Amino acid sequence: MTLALPCFILWNSLCIRPDGKISLCCQDVYGKYTLGDVSNNTLHEIWHSKELNNLREKLKVGRDGLALCEHCDMFQPNMYNIG
């Protein structure tokens, strides 16, 4: 069952793994979606990357289409009125 709410984690946090790679979120502990590496890019570059912005656009509409997100039950209210 998919949570019928968008996820807003990508607008307010980055999950940096011990190896310096950036995961999609804290639920992506195995790095299925690696969005960058702080050894190769600045946090600013990763935060504003095309890939991360595309994922944000997808998640605005819902969690379908991303295997890791489709069955995620993590809820974070839209505190920043993103959309």
Side-chain angles (χ1 to χ4, degrees), residues 23-44:
S23 287
L24 176 66
C25 75
C26 59
Q27 299 297 310
D28 186 15
V29 294
Y30 298 111
K32 182 174 182 176
Y33 294 100
T34 298
L35 303 174
D37 185 336
V38 295
S39 301
N40 302 321
N41 301 97
T42 67
L43 289 175
H44 184 270

Side-chain angles (χ1 to χ4, degrees), residues 53-72:
N53 284 326
N54 288 340
L55 287 168
R56 287 178 178 134
E57 289 302 314
K58 283 183 181 180
L59 286 173
K60 276 185 188 178
V61 218
R63 298 167 190 240
D64 293 335
L66 288 171
L68 185 68
C69 304
E70 284 180 343
H71 303 290
C72 180

Side-chain angles (χ1 to χ4, degrees), residues 11 13 19 22 26 38 50-51 54 57:
W11 280 268
S13 67
D19 61 1
I22 308 287
C26 59
V38 295
K50 185 176 181 176
E51 181 180 11
N54 288 340
E57 289 302 314

